[in-house]
Amino acid sequence: MDYDLAAWTGMALRWLHVVAGVAWIGASFYFVWLDNNLRDPKPLDGGPPKDGVKGELWAVHGGGFYHSQKYMVAPAHMPDHLHWFKWEAYTTWLSGFALLTVLYYVGAPVYLIDPAKHAFTQAQAIATGLAFIFGGLAVYEALCRSPLGKNGKLFGVVWFATLTAATWALTQIFSDRGAFIHVGAIIGTCMVGNVFLIIIPNQRKIVADMLAGRPVDPRLGAMGKQRSVHNTHMTLPVIFIMISNHYPAVSGHPKAWLLLALISAGAISIRYFFIQRHFGRIRHEFLFYGAMLIFGATAIASIKPKDKVEITSPVSFATAESIIQKHCVTCHAATPTHPGFSAPPLGASFDNPEHIRTYAPKIRERAVLSTSMPLGNETGMTVEERAQLGAWINQGAKIP
């Protein structure tokens, strides 16, 4: 039996991470929507509203009616069953960190280290990645607890600039994919930190004070609400980062940090439109701003680099094949010889001319228009070789 433990473990962790993320983000989106759609309580029997009820919402779904009520502090009597929304967030982070460890730390020579940027040892690369992740959390917490944290808009600008600076730094030292995934890890760690360090502890204090008959500090709920708002604004950028390895035109671009900043700003603007819509305020300009920012990223990504080599003379298949044999087939073969792979990534093998021609568009996307392949450019593919490969493809990807 040839059991590929690493591959199956990676698949299981990725699946768990996505499912947990859907549960967490879905709950987050729902409660933001619910909070923004609460109405003044008006009991159907015409009597007075319950003490402490700030707002309520009636909804219909799945063949039944639901009546949601929100207490700003706590109800007069604690119910027997109280659901805590925390494991969705914890499971997302734990599975994501496990996936980061299995793929990017155990596989650091393949997925994380790019010798052309910085010749890390595996231990140095891991230590640097962890320093960025938990250092980012420390900076975020310091900003939130500082006077700046009381000014939501200014805080957002400063935190966005901090993340953009971290993105730039990471793209200078790590592989394309490794840099982006660490930006996502910083954001995800801050988001789960909000749940673990603020939201759940504050809710526990509120419940404990209520059961003990002590006055409940309303600031505890306000702090939790603030962090929840932070999380909902960071959600769309972190989702994009989760799928960014499928889009080398962004992650593999020389100005990847700028593209990610523009796309993230656009996503935040679009998310803000929907938050405002929950209140009944239709602000189409935020959709427009978001679309323009994302379009700006696509325009910048389409600009041809000045140092790009142009080849107009015919390039033979023999030349293209020799480049592929040198830089690609250690991974992309029916039986890879690269120690990091037991099967060709995405099933793409370049063992024969017909396969090479079939995958020519993907080769162009990954190895010509971007530098995302070879991973970490560990084989040292040159600009000239990429240009030759691109010229052969542009000339029709002809084979004998």
Side-chain angles (χ1 to χ4, degrees), residues 30 33-34 44 56-69:
Y30 171 73
W33 175 87
L34 178 63
L44 295 180
E56 66 176 2
L57 176 75
W58 284 88
V60 60
H61 181 74
F65 292 89
Y66 296 81
H67 185 203
S68 300
Q69 295 178 315

Side-chain angles (χ1 to χ4, degrees), residues 17 24 92-93 96-97 100 132-133 159 163 166-167 170 177-192 234-235 237-244 260 264:
H17 184 54
W24 181 18
T92 301
W93 189 86
F97 190 79
L100 177 72
F132 267 93
I133 293 171
W159 177 234
L163 285 173
T167 304
L170 286 163
R177 291 175 60 173
F180 266 44
I181 207 66
H182 274 82
V183 178
I186 293 171
I187 299 173
T189 299
C190 292
M191 291 174 68
V192 80
M234 290 190 282
T235 298
V238 83
I239 291 176
F240 175 79
I241 292 170
M242 287 174 67
I243 64 173
S244 62
L260 182 57
S264 296

Side-chain angles (χ1 to χ4, degrees), residues 11 37 55 79 81 170 179 237 267 271 273 297 307 322 330 352 360 363 367 374:
M11 186 198 75
N37 280 276
H81 177 71
L170 286 163
R271 179 69 184 129
F273 164 81
D307 60 349
S322 67
T330 54
N352 61 62
I363 294 172

